[in-house]
Amino acid sequence: MTKIDALRRFLLPCLNPTVTSPVHPSSTITHHHTPKKRLSTSLRDDIDEQIQQKNQENQNDEEEISEPPTPTANSQLAPPRPSKTMVIGTIFGHRRGGHVWFCVQHDRLITKPSLLLELSIPTTTLIQEMSCGLVRIALEFKDDSAESELSRCPLHSVPVWTLYCNGRKLGFALRRKATQQNRLMLKTMQSITVGAGVIPSGFGSEFGSGSEELMYMRANYECVIGSADSESFHLINPDEGPGQELSIFLLRTR
């Protein structure tokens, strides 16, 4: 029995080995707990401030675009632009022994002119000046007293003008009211817009001898009103071609 027990003690460990429980790797690994990182509140505040600053800049840009430009002092003090209109101008006078008249109409069918001036230039002198192709007639009224009625009245109401033709003083010009003879003459030329010619005699003795023929030149003029004290009439040549250059200026000085 003693031998049998010894063999049993020797063999049993070989037949039934002790099973060792496997060690899980996780059990051998030591876990290091790292603290979680948090975003600081200061970083959040910086982002909000940058966003608010960009929004403010965009709002300022929109306000600058939406605001209309304010007029400067120079634009407020700028003089008004001159107005331009089209009128019908007629220069007429007797061939011999007469002087020149200038008539302005806004409508050729209305025989009452808006302006009628009697110039002291002889008809023959004006024809000679026009042969050179350039005529500048300046009518000047110099008002010594700024408080007089003539300094405030309309320019067409000035009764007497000093006359200059191409830089030379040639007398005076008088404002006239249209008479029956004037209206009869304008009625005769109602169908004429642009042209020159001769009207037979018989239009009254105020233009000279009743037997004299009346010469005329009728055309469109550009009326330029620069201010209350300046106005000018410029002959418009037909078909925009080269031709006669004729201008009449009205100027009131103080």
Side-chain angles (χ1 to χ4, degrees), residues 36-131:
K36 294 183 179 181
K37 295 182 179 180
R38 295 183 180 180
L39 294 176
S40 63
T41 56
S42 60
L43 179 60
R44 178 66 59 184
D45 294 339
D46 295 340
I47 295 176
D48 292 341
E49 290 179 358
Q50 292 178 0
I51 295 174
Q52 291 178 0
Q53 185 177 1
K54 290 182 179 179
N55 294 334
Q56 185 67 26
E57 291 178 356
N58 295 333
Q59 185 177 0
N60 293 335
D61 294 338
E62 292 177 357
E63 290 179 356
E64 291 179 357
I65 296 174
S66 62
E67 289 181 357
T70 57
T72 60
N74 294 331
S75 62
Q76 293 177 355
L77 299 177
R81 295 181 178 179
S83 62
K84 299 180 181 180
T85 56
M86 187 82 69
V87 297
I88 300 174
T90 306
I91 295 177
F92 59 92
H94 286 285
R95 187 190 298 271
R96 292 187 301 269
H99 49 270
V100 178
W101 293 66
F102 179 62
C103 173
V104 176
Q105 295 173 272
H106 290 278
D107 188 349
R108 60 185 176 86
L109 300 179
I110 299 177
T111 58
K112 183 180 180 181
S114 60
L115 178 63
L116 181 62
L117 296 173
E118 180 183 0
L119 313 180
S120 61
I121 303 176
T123 307
T124 55
T125 302
L126 182 61
I127 293 174
Q128 292 175 1
E129 295 289 343
M130 293 180 66
S131 63

